Amino acid sequence: MSQKEIPYKIYLEESEMPTAWYNLRADMKNKPAPLLNAATHERMTAEELAGVFCEELIRQELDDQNPYYEIPKAIRDFYKMYRPSPLVRAYCLEEKLQTPAKIYYKFEGNNTSGSHKLNSAIAQAYYAKQQGLTGVTTETGAGQWGTALSMACSYFGLDCKVYMVKCSYEQKPFRREVMRTYGASVTPSPSMETAVGRKILAEHPGTGGSLGCAISEAVEKASQTEGYRYVLGSVLNQVMLHQSIIGLETKTAMDKYGIKPDVIIGCAGGGSNLGGLIAPFMGEKVRGEADYRFIAVEPASCPSFTRGVYAYDYCDTGMVCPLSKMYTLGSGFMPAANHSGGLRYHGMNSTLSQLYADGLMEAVSVKQTDVFAAAEDFARVEGILPAPESSHAIRVAIDEAMKCKETGEEKTILFGLTGTGYFDMLAYEKFHDGKMTDYIPTDEEIRKNFDKLPKVQ
Ligand SMILES: *Cc1c(COP(=O)(O)O)cnc(C)c1O
């Protein structure tokens, strides 16, 4: 089939939706390092994790052998309300750039939560319900994860308690109200409700909070409330497993039209959308069946891959979570206050970290003013108002397409468009008013947090 016949939007039939998630770790020769107990530095066992996490999710987290997990029917039925998501050929963007490159994006913003996070939220809520739990706790930064989880919990009739980073809670009241519409209770973090929150408030009165701090509060609350467990929207391998639906659908749609991407690009916060998008393609690469270039894009103000170290670190500020081996800026790292583009987590998913360490994936960091410029260019021709996080991938997709223009190469570029940016209008406003600045941390600022990494033998 010639490329001309490819439609603007490739929609799969419901019957073509994947029926199993793909666990990339099963095919990796070098497996990601195991989670360790933060106190003993011994390998975390399922029993230890069971006080905080749901049983089936623990099984998925610890499993680096089984390549496929059947998606339970109740989850597939929920997926059908907003999936398969479209794979879009960015004809208008190609035209605007006058590039010979062919650009595709997989759009995950077509649901009320506005991002890919619902793919894992519904799975996590399902397993919590199956286990007979009454509720879950979590943290949210920008609010997309909290929104997705509150939708999923209301669907299955579970309580949902969200600790929202205080500065977001204050800046994004509408996000908060969406969560409350779906029945969640939302607390600004740090709060006086938990011991770790009280401790952080005593040490840093007036702090706007951080993701790492909200995680500590949510974990404490879950472990001390009967019938509750803690769930997380990114970073963990179980989340990447659920997000493989993005890549599997993309691969099915591309195979149908005989399209093979040369470059696959995704933004990287904790790594779940990127890991999910690349999973089946990376699977082919590690099995030696095909080759692709993979590019992780991160903010220059929070550059875990490009300037972090590959080491065991705490996943949260309160140091209550297990240790994970990952590219990290140190759990004490906080992105500069002027950073509004999301993707502000200090660490990275352990599977992606191992792939990057093995040279199977590249990473680049980009400045937020360049990200918003790309967002605007994209919105003006493709119509969709992208989330700032997603716009990191747009930036690099455009840069790669412009390189093709110079060399005349007709490369096929695929990127993940993870969500929409309707709740990020304050950041867009700053950009339009010329008030957005870039802050790139100095080497010294980055290095000082490395001293506090746990000393794992
Ligand atoms: C949360 C989020 C991200 C980053 O999270 P990952 O786990 O790295 O995928 C990216 N885009 C949007 C729209 C998000 O909500």
Side-chain angles (χ1 to χ4, degrees):
M1 191 173 292
S2 92
Q3 294 261 315
K4 280 217 174 56
E5 292 168 70
I6 291 171
Y8 271 73
K9 285 189 182 174
I10 306 176
Y11 280 106
L12 297 174
E13 300 293 329
E14 254 175 42
S15 60
E16 293 171 298
M17 255 176 65
T19 54
W21 293 301
Y22 171 56
N23 181 14
L24 172 61
R25 289 171 290 168
D27 286 330
M28 287 166 63
K29 287 183 199 78
N30 294 337
K31 308 285 185 195
L35 294 173
L36 301 184
N37 180 307
T40 63
H41 293 188
E42 298 288 329
R43 195 184 263 251
M44 277 309 266
T45 61
E47 294 71 42
E48 286 174 299
L49 291 165
V52 176
F53 295 102
C54 305
E55 280 157 21
E56 175 58 25
L57 294 167
I58 294 169
R59 193 164 79 89
Q60 296 176 359
E61 190 64 35
L62 299 179
D63 180 1
D64 59 12
Q65 299 299 321
N66 284 309
Y68 289 101
Y69 272 84
E70 193 186 325
I71 306 174
K73 180 165 182 308
I75 301 176
R76 286 208 311 266
D77 287 345
F78 185 89
Y79 277 168
K80 283 176 193 164
M81 291 194 278
Y82 69 101
R83 310 200 68 84
S85 69
L87 176 69
V88 186
R89 171 80 183 265
Y91 282 116
C92 303
L93 182 63
E94 290 169 19
E95 174 73 24
K96 172 172 172 153
L97 301 175
Q98 289 289 302
T99 173
K102 299 172 181 67
I103 308 174
Y104 293 86
Y105 57 91
K106 177 73 166 164
F107 181 46
E108 291 291 318
N110 261 339
N111 67 75
T112 299
S113 76
S115 81
H116 66 285
K117 296 218 170 60
L118 194 55
N119 301 331
S120 183
I122 195 64
Q124 298 195 43
Y126 170 81
Y127 291 118
K129 188 71 184 175
Q130 284 293 103
Q131 198 180 319
L133 299 174
T134 49
V136 292
T137 69
T138 199
E139 75 295 330
T140 197
Q144 289 97 320
W145 167 244
T147 308
L149 188 68
S150 48
M151 290 175 69
C153 285
S154 71
Y155 185 74
F156 285 123
L158 281 168
D159 296 345
C160 179
K161 174 134 188 85
V162 181
Y163 289 89
M164 185 169 188
V165 177
K166 192 186 270 166
C167 59
S168 301
Y169 182 91
E170 284 157 6
Q171 278 168 18
K172 298 190 172 184
F174 295 152
R175 269 275 177 222
R176 188 180 73 209
E177 289 319 310
V178 178
M179 288 184 249
R180 299 209 310 170
T181 301
Y182 286 95
S185 89
V186 188
T187 306
S189 164
S191 75
M192 295 299 283
E193 284 179 9
T194 63
V196 63
R198 289 189 290 273
K199 179 163 178 276
I200 293 169
L201 280 174
E203 285 166 11
H204 309 276
T207 175
S210 71
L211 262 185
C213 165
I215 295 175
S216 305
E217 287 205 272
V219 170
E220 181 184 318
K221 185 77 183 176
S223 58
Q224 293 178 3
T225 312
E226 182 68 28
Y228 271 56
R229 291 294 185 280
Y230 165 69
V231 295
L232 183 58
S234 181
V235 188
L236 296 177
N237 286 315
Q238 55 186 274
V239 183
M240 182 170 150
L241 173 73
H242 307 146
Q243 296 298 356
S244 69
I245 187 93
I246 303 173
L248 292 164
E249 276 183 12
T250 304
K251 183 107 190 6
T252 305
M254 288 196 144
D255 286 350
K256 201 167 159 177
Y257 284 90
I259 307 160
K260 183 178 177 289
D262 297 297
V263 192
I264 305 176
I265 301 165
C267 63
S272 74
N273 87 83
L274 173 67
L277 174 67
I278 71 174
F281 300 99
M282 184 61 91
E284 290 187 332
K285 181 159 170 155
V286 297
R287 294 191 305 266
E289 296 165 8
D291 198 16
Y292 306 94
R293 251 185 94 200
F294 300 98
I295 310 177
V297 190
E298 57 187 16
S301 51
C302 190
S304 323
F305 272 133
T306 51
R307 295 177 71 196
V309 286
Y310 189 33
Y312 269 104
D313 195 9
Y314 302 99
C315 294
D316 61 323
T317 318
M319 305 174 181
V320 292
C321 290
L323 303 181
S324 177
K325 189 173 179 195
M326 55 186 175
Y327 279 86
T328 180
L329 296 163
S331 60
F333 180 85
M334 300 240 186
N338 75 343
H339 173 70
S340 33
L343 310 174
R344 40 175 58 246
Y345 187 63
H346 66 274
M348 189 52 65
N349 166 272
S350 66
T351 302
L352 291 183
S353 293
Q354 185 62 49
L355 293 167
Y356 183 64
D358 288 339
L360 292 162
M361 188 175 74
E362 303 164 33
V364 293
S365 71
V366 290
K367 293 192 301 206
Q368 67 175 354
T369 47
D370 294 340
V371 166
F372 278 82
E376 202 176 74
D377 285 346
F378 178 84
R380 288 181 185 182
V381 287
E382 291 289 323
I384 294 169
L385 180 84
E389 292 90 343
S390 323
S391 305
H392 287 72
I394 300 176
R395 172 74 273 158
V396 173
I398 292 177
D399 292 347
E400 288 294 318
M402 294 310 281
K403 281 184 207 158
C404 290
K405 186 172 176 176
E406 275 168 34
T407 61
E409 285 173 290
E410 292 183 28
K411 280 189 187 156
T412 298
I413 298 169
L414 163 66
F415 72 91
L417 188 69
T418 50
T420 48
Y422 301 113
F423 289 97
D424 300 284
M425 285 298 133
L426 286 175
Y428 272 93
E429 180 185 50
K430 259 198 218 163
F431 176 70
H432 295 142
D433 290 345
K435 290 184 181 147
M436 181 174 278
T437 52
D438 292 303
Y439 184 80
I440 301 175
T442 63
D443 286 343
E444 199 184 328
E445 280 167 310
I446 288 198
R447 258 196 315 265
K448 73 169 195 250
N449 290 293
F450 294 163
D451 299 340
K452 289 171 220 140
L453 290 170
K455 310 271 177 292
V456 176
Q457 300 308 311

